[in-house]
């Protein structure tokens, strides 16, 4: 291997303030980071999937849901988060032409899936719109 970039990353294993499920839509990346910091979430394990909560609420296959739940279990095992933050956003490519209510309904269903799989986690749900963040 040839070093092509120098950067000092922290070596210490961390305790995550939360595990966060988001879409991979980069338009909301800065809002997610700033909002989480405002909510006291500085260090977090982020599960980024197109459509976010849809993979838990209305997965294309059961395997998708299982995969997300395994990622969450791994986050808990490695970094011990006590909060799970579920998100969805406006104009999501996984919900083209669908109303925001369909996204928020999936987030609520996903919250139930999480509560069933990891009952010790405190689950929070948010909808990101282009003008800010709404709590469900
Ligand atoms: Zn999206």
């Amino acid at each position: 291997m040839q070093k092509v970039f120098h950067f000092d990353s922290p070596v210490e294993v961390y305790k995550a303030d939360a595990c966060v499920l988001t879409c991979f839509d980069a338009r909301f990346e800065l809002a997610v980071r700033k909002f989480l910091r405002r909510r006291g979430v500085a260090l977090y394990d982020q599960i980024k999937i197109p459509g976010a909560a849809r993979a838990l609420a209305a997965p294309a296959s059961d395997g998708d849901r299982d995969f997300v739940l395994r990622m969450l279990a791994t986050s808990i095992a490695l970094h011990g988060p006590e909060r799970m933050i579920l998100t969805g956003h406006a104009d999501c490519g996984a919900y083209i032409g669908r109303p925001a209510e369909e996204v928020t309904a999936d987030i609520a269903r996903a919250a139930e899936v999480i509560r069933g799989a990891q009952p010790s986690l405190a689950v929070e749900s948010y909808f990101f719109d282009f003008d800010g963040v709404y709590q469900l």
Side-chain angles (χ1 to χ4, degrees):
M1 282 192 291
Q2 182 188 5
K3 185 174 183 178
V4 294
F5 182 70
H6 178 79
F7 189 82
D8 294 315
S9 297
V11 176
E12 303 78 29
V13 176
Y14 57 94
K15 176 169 175 20
D17 298 317
C19 184
V20 181
L21 176 63
T22 69
C23 182
F24 68 7
D25 194 315
R27 293 175 293 177
F28 293 95
E29 199 167 308
L30 185 58
V32 166
R33 244 182 303 135
K34 284 182 174 284
F35 172 70
L36 290 175
R37 188 165 285 275
R38 180 70 63 87
R39 302 292 292 189
V41 178
L43 270 175
Y44 54 93
D45 289 343
Q46 185 169 10
I47 301 172
K48 265 187 176 182
I49 308 170
R54 187 172 188 127
L56 290 169
S61 73
D62 288 344
D64 290 357
R65 181 188 293 121
D66 294 343
F67 186 49
V68 175
L69 290 175
R70 279 204 311 278
M71 285 194 262
L72 172 58
T74 301
S75 169
I76 293 169
L78 295 179
H79 306 133
E82 293 165 12
R83 298 163 73 183
M84 176 77 205
I85 295 178
L86 297 174
T87 70
H89 70 89
D91 196 36
C92 184
Y95 295 89
I96 291 172
R98 313 296 253 205
E101 291 73 28
E102 195 170 319
V103 180
T104 57
D106 274 358
I107 296 170
R109 264 194 294 277
E112 288 312 307
V113 173
I114 296 294
R115 287 187 184 101
Q118 300 287 351
S120 66
L121 281 179
V123 182
E124 303 167 40
S125 303
Y126 302 100
F127 182 80
F128 284 70
D129 209 335
F130 293 99
D131 67 348
V133 184
Y134 297 81
Q135 185 162 21
L136 306 185

